[in-house]
Amino acid sequence: MKIVDMVCAPGRTGFFFDDQKAIKMGAKSNGAAYEGAPVTPGFKNIRQAGESISVMLVLEDGQVAWGDCAAVQYSGAGGRDPLFLAEDFIPVIEKYIKPVIVGKEADNFRKLAKEMEDILVDGKKLHTAIRYGVSQALLDAVAKAHKCMICEEVAAEYGTTVATEMVPIFTQSGDNRYENSDKMIMKGAQILPHALINNVETKLGKDGHILKEYVAWLRDRIMELRAEDDYMPIMHIDVYGTIGQAFGDDNFVGMADYIAELEETAKPFKLRIEGPMDAGEREKQMLDLKGLREEMDRRGINVELVADEWCNTLEDVIYFCDNKAGHMAQIKTPDLGGINNTIEAVLYCKEHGFGAYQGGTCNETNRSAEVCVECAMATQPDQILAKPGMGVDEGYMIVYNEMSRILALRAAKA
């Protein structure tokens, strides 16, 4: 089944691009916007509308396979590729990708994805968002050519088994961490609430008391609103390096002391802390996360540390995993480029006893989320992010329903 054409369309994402550095430096919110000037190159405002590109591959039988190019909310931060704007990158796709892909047989995803990933412009790989969206379209094209679901194509090519039950869903609250937590609890989300703790003074507290009070509130709120006593969601809180800011990035004893307090406060619920510090570069980040994990493990602090900042590419995930830098990696799907790299990252973590969190960003689209779900059902990570958006309802619905459809269709086939 040949690919006979490629068509691109500009689109919107489910959230915004945010200048993380400006926010960490204390930019004040003004409604949904932020006041002040951006500091990360490429930004015109601290917060600006998220953009995507739909890449549609026309097959010779008239079917259309498609995927969405999208970049993370905090583009240009933590070693990531720069801001992704449709008008800048549609010409790049049409100039460098289209001539390589059109005319190819949609017969093997891994082969096509490698050819696409190997394209260099001025000695560099294409923007991660481009490789992310084009690879989704290629995977869909091969699945359509083979008349199977995307998850079945992934399982066939990577030697895995499609899940027979849902992968646990992790929901994200944005700054509306109270009302949105209520939604999560009422919907029965297995992992919650993310909470967006990205400022020491206003969200963590210089001594950590603000976050500790929030964890106590969340604990009580779960027990108040849960429909069944056996509903025991995992608390997963992303702190964007603020614990390190407050206590010192390499002050492992001080950070561990504070995390132990959070663990006690969260009981009877299990706790995960994502991004406890941001050391500013990959090697230092790995060493700091490794050191904090060793201190916590030595003391029997039963909180899982999740690597995020500076753990961006497939190579980064392997590096953090091999060095046991934390207990789990967020495999932030757009940052890895081709979706093939996400598949390989999940499988590597599972093989080496490291937690696999197939994540992403609120700044994606319904299509990229659906393709990510298909891949997750074939690789079975420990959890998958509900995306896009920060409103809980929409992202949770998209991810939950895609898994439900897969399970129903495969049950009907069986």
Side-chain angles (χ1 to χ4, degrees):
M1 182 78 71
K2 275 193 171 60
I3 300 167
V4 298
D5 199 7
M6 174 185 283
V7 181
C8 293
R12 291 297 196 192
T13 62
F15 202 64
F16 296 89
F17 292 122
D18 284 348
D19 183 347
Q20 187 188 60
K21 189 173 182 181
I23 294 169
K24 281 189 172 183
M25 290 171 61
K28 304 299 183 184
S29 60
N30 177 12
Y34 283 93
E35 296 176 349
V39 295
T40 299
F43 280 81
K44 294 180 180 178
N45 299 290
I46 294 175
R47 168 167 285 177
Q48 56 192 75
E51 300 186 17
S52 65
I53 299 171
S54 286
V55 176
M56 295 165 280
L57 303 179
V58 182
L59 304 182
E60 60 182 328
D61 66 352
Q63 293 186 91
V64 177
W66 61 292
D68 278 354
C69 304
V72 296
Q73 173 189 9
Y74 296 120
S75 291
R80 300 183 178 101
D81 276 359
L83 198 64
F84 183 74
L85 303 178
E87 68 175 2
D88 294 339
F89 287 101
I90 286 178
V92 174
I93 295 171
E94 292 177 339
K95 181 176 181 179
Y96 295 103
I97 301 264
K98 187 172 182 177
V100 173
I101 297 301
V102 172
K104 287 285 198 308
E105 288 285 343
D107 56 357
N108 183 279
F109 166 65
R110 298 178 77 170
K111 179 184 71 176
L112 290 169
K114 185 178 188 306
E115 289 180 16
M116 183 270 299
E117 289 263 16
D118 287 345
I119 295 171
L120 300 178
V121 178
D122 297 329
K124 296 180 180 179
K125 285 190 173 185
L126 293 165
H127 195 292
T128 49
I130 292 177
R131 291 182 276 135
Y132 186 45
V134 173
S135 65
Q136 294 166 36
L138 291 170
L139 179 53
D140 188 29
V142 176
K144 282 182 163 63
H146 291 160
K147 294 182 169 56
C148 67
M149 288 189 284
I150 291 173
C151 60
E152 294 169 335
E153 183 63 37
V154 172
E157 293 200 28
Y158 288 86
T160 65
T161 302
V162 177
T164 56
E165 57 186 30
M166 289 198 180
V167 175
I169 300 174
F170 173 36
T171 44
Q172 52 186 338
S173 66
D175 277 327
N176 193 10
R177 61 187 61 81
Y178 291 92
E179 183 178 346
N180 277 345
S181 291
D182 284 357
K183 294 181 182 181
M184 297 168 186
I185 297 163
M186 290 188 288
K187 289 177 183 286
Q190 296 106 317
I191 303 117
L192 75 181
H194 185 271
L196 197 68
I197 307 299
N198 59 0
N199 184 282
V200 172
E201 290 191 5
T202 61
K203 298 178 182 178
L204 183 88
K206 290 182 179 179
D207 60 356
H209 74 279
I210 298 175
L211 176 56
K212 189 175 176 182
E213 289 168 3
Y214 174 71
V215 170
W217 173 86
L218 182 60
R219 173 202 66 209
D220 294 343
R221 195 65 169 163
I222 293 169
M223 291 191 284
E224 177 185 353
L225 294 183
R226 62 185 178 181
E228 304 291 340
D229 289 345
D230 61 357
Y231 173 59
M232 297 291 291
I234 295 169
M235 292 187 191
H236 180 139
I237 296 175
D238 192 345
V239 298
Y240 293 89
T242 54
I243 292 178
Q245 284 181 270
F247 296 92
D249 286 343
D250 52 8
N251 178 11
F252 304 139
V253 172
M255 284 193 288
D257 286 344
Y258 175 63
I259 292 172
E261 292 179 21
L262 293 180
E263 178 189 20
E264 285 300 312
T265 304
K267 286 181 177 178
F269 303 104
K270 183 177 177 181
L271 181 65
R272 289 184 183 138
I273 296 293
E274 182 173 347
M277 77 290 290
D278 184 346
E281 54 94 12
R282 188 180 87 148
E283 179 71 11
K284 183 67 161 56
Q285 182 75 358
M286 183 280 290
L287 291 171
D288 284 353
L289 263 179
K290 178 182 174 67
L292 181 56
R293 171 184 172 150
E294 289 172 349
E295 174 68 17
M296 289 171 54
D297 287 354
R298 182 184 65 80
R299 292 166 56 176
I301 299 170
N302 189 29
V303 175
E304 290 181 316
L305 300 176
V306 184
D308 182 8
E309 267 71 32
W310 303 101
C311 185
N312 300 325
T313 65
L314 172 60
E315 292 74 21
D316 293 340
V317 172
I318 291 171
Y319 183 59
F320 278 65
C321 172
D322 287 349
N323 284 283
K324 295 293 184 281
H327 302 91
M328 170 181 277
Q330 186 196 165
I331 298 158
K332 194 178 285 271
T333 53
D335 283 339
L336 274 76
I339 198 76
N340 49 300
N341 294 321
T342 289
I343 294 166
E344 292 182 20
V346 171
L347 295 177
Y348 190 90
C349 287
K350 290 180 63 178
E351 183 181 344
H352 291 83
F354 204 63
Y357 156 30
Q358 187 187 295
T361 175
C362 54
N363 193 47
E364 294 192 50
T365 70
N366 60 306
R367 181 54 178 172
S368 65
E370 289 164 355
V371 177
C372 283
V373 168
E374 294 274 353
C375 294
M377 290 296 280
T379 58
Q380 301 185 45
D382 295 288
Q383 64 186 52
I384 183 172
L385 183 66
K387 57 186 182 180
M390 287 287 200
V392 178
D393 304 302
E394 301 86 351
Y396 186 82
M397 171 193 68
I398 288 167
V399 169
Y400 184 98
N401 290 356
E402 184 71 7
M403 282 196 278
S404 183
R405 285 188 290 266
I406 291 167
L407 293 173
L409 283 170
R410 284 182 56 79
K413 281 184 184 181

